[in-house]
Each structure stands twice: as C-alpha cells, then as structure tokens.
Amino acid sequence: MEKITDKTGRIAFIGGGMMAEAILKGMLHKEIAEPEMIIISDPSAGRREYLEKTYKVNTTGCNAEAVKTAGFVILAVKPQVADAAITKEVADAIPQNTTVLSIMGSVNLDKLHKLVPGHAVIRVMPNTPLAAIAPDENVSEEMLDVAKAVFGSCGEIEIIAESAIEAIAAVSGCGPGYVFMMIDALADAGVNAGLPRAMAIKLAAQ
C-alpha cells in the first residue's frame, strides 16, 4: 500500500510501551509512515522523551490530543487500564471516519464498540510469529489494507474471525514460550555433550 499520508490521516498510539514501540519500529523500517505522521500518547514524560529522541515521532501526554487528527488509532495500553485510558472525552475526540485498532489482548470487539462507539474497529493479537487481525463488519477493504500494512511490517499476518483469537493466542501467543524452553533444553544437552554454548544454541534453534 501507499505510505500513511495526510489523505489517510495520521496514526495515533494510545500507549507508548514495548508493544507500541515494536509496531513503530516495524512501520518505520518498512517505511509505512514517516515519523511526522505518527503521534504517541503516554503518561510518562521520560518515555515520551525517549520515543521522540529515538524515532523522531510526535508525542503527547494527552490521549484526546493524540487522536484528534488521526485517521487510525492504535489502542496499545494494558487491558486493565482500558476504561481509564479511553474515556468518553478521548472517544469524542476521535474523528468520525477514523479506524480504531486494538492490541489489548482480552478486550473483545463488543467492549471496544462500547469504548469507541460509532467507529470501525479491528482487534489484533500481535506476537513474534504473526499478528492475527479480526475486523468488525464496518471495516472497509481500504481500512483493512492499512491494518495489514502496519502489522505486516512486523511479521506474518492472518485475517481471522474474532472467534478464532483465543485458539490463536494459545498456539502463536503462548506457544513460542514452550518452543523457546525446548530450544534451551536442547542447547543445554549440547553443552553437556561438549559443545560450546553459542554453537549449541545455534544448532538447537536451527
């Protein structure tokens, strides 16, 4: 797809934590958007300063300020603070035709529609192996193309029905942790058999 431009509207992140940073890095690396087209809202002044200096993006401490000119809003806060972060004031500040994407793991589409009524919503379950993307019935092909570009910049993507998210979370969300444990155990066995640690880890991972 084309880059995020004034035509598509800026991308606003509510929450500037590690997941938001990973998505941001992917977008900038794949040149999905220029830094000036991205604004990140985070309550920590130190975090905002780090993001500004590292990625040259815009930041703010006000969620409503972040979303008011956005074409796409990415909700990247922890699920337990969803209600505090996405207040009525914030929801009212989101422009009418803006698409809302959420990476808040346990917050389903019904809850998202209550948080940001009147908006097309895409629920995303991102992880190292792939991002599972579950759009609601209001999401157009153009909106979906942007979501695919944003999360495709970080790895594989799969468009799914929301009903599949829990199963995918088990396979590609929690599953890699078990794979890493197995790799570590194989590497330990290699070391016990006399291999250098670096070689054992490389062999086990391959």
Side-chain angles (χ1 to χ4, degrees):
M1 66 159 285
E2 297 179 2
K3 286 185 177 182
I4 299 298
T5 63
D6 289 329
K7 182 179 177 182
T8 59
R10 303 166 91 188
I11 288 186
F13 286 82
I14 295 182
M18 300 304 292
M19 287 299 297
E21 184 178 0
I23 297 164
L24 172 64
K25 286 170 71 173
M27 289 171 57
L28 295 179
H29 178 69
K30 294 290 186 178
E31 299 183 344
I32 299 301
E34 296 297 330
E36 61 266 21
M37 294 304 297
I38 299 169
I39 183 166
I40 301 175
S41 177
D42 195 272
S44 166
R47 185 65 177 168
R48 295 196 302 269
E49 183 180 5
Y50 163 78
L51 293 168
E52 287 178 9
K53 287 185 176 179
T54 306
Y55 302 104
K56 313 304 179 190
V57 294
N58 305 288
T59 70
T60 177
C62 175
N63 292 341
E65 178 70 21
V67 303
K68 69 180 185 181
T69 59
F72 293 84
V73 173
I74 299 177
L75 306 179
V77 296
K78 289 181 171 62
Q80 58 266 33
V81 300
D83 290 305
I86 305 127
T87 61
K88 185 179 185 302
E89 178 191 8
V90 174
D92 289 346
I94 300 174
Q96 184 176 1
N97 296 321
T98 293
T99 308
V100 177
L101 303 92
S102 169
I103 64 169
M104 299 185 295
S106 60
V107 181
N108 62 25
L109 287 175
D110 284 343
K111 169 69 171 178
L112 291 168
H113 287 142
K114 291 173 184 174
L115 286 171
V116 288
H119 291 281
V121 175
I122 301 173
R123 184 181 174 192
V124 184
M125 202 282 303
N127 207 292
T128 305
L130 78 123
I133 296 174
D136 73 9
E137 67 277 5
N138 300 311
V139 173
S140 68
E141 284 299 320
E142 291 79 10
M143 294 170 177
L144 192 56
D145 282 345
V146 173
K148 288 159 66 176
V150 169
F151 290 95
S153 70
C154 308
E156 298 294 321
I157 55 171
E158 195 73 37
I159 309 301
I160 60 161
E162 186 185 24
S163 58
I165 276 192
E166 299 305 325
I168 289 174
V171 174
S172 67
C174 304
Y178 294 99
V179 175
F180 295 150
M181 288 176 67
M182 183 182 71
I183 290 171
D184 193 47
L186 283 172
D188 285 344
V191 171
N192 287 337
L195 294 176
R197 167 65 63 178
M199 180 186 293
I201 290 173
K202 181 178 180 180
L203 290 170
Q206 289 298 320

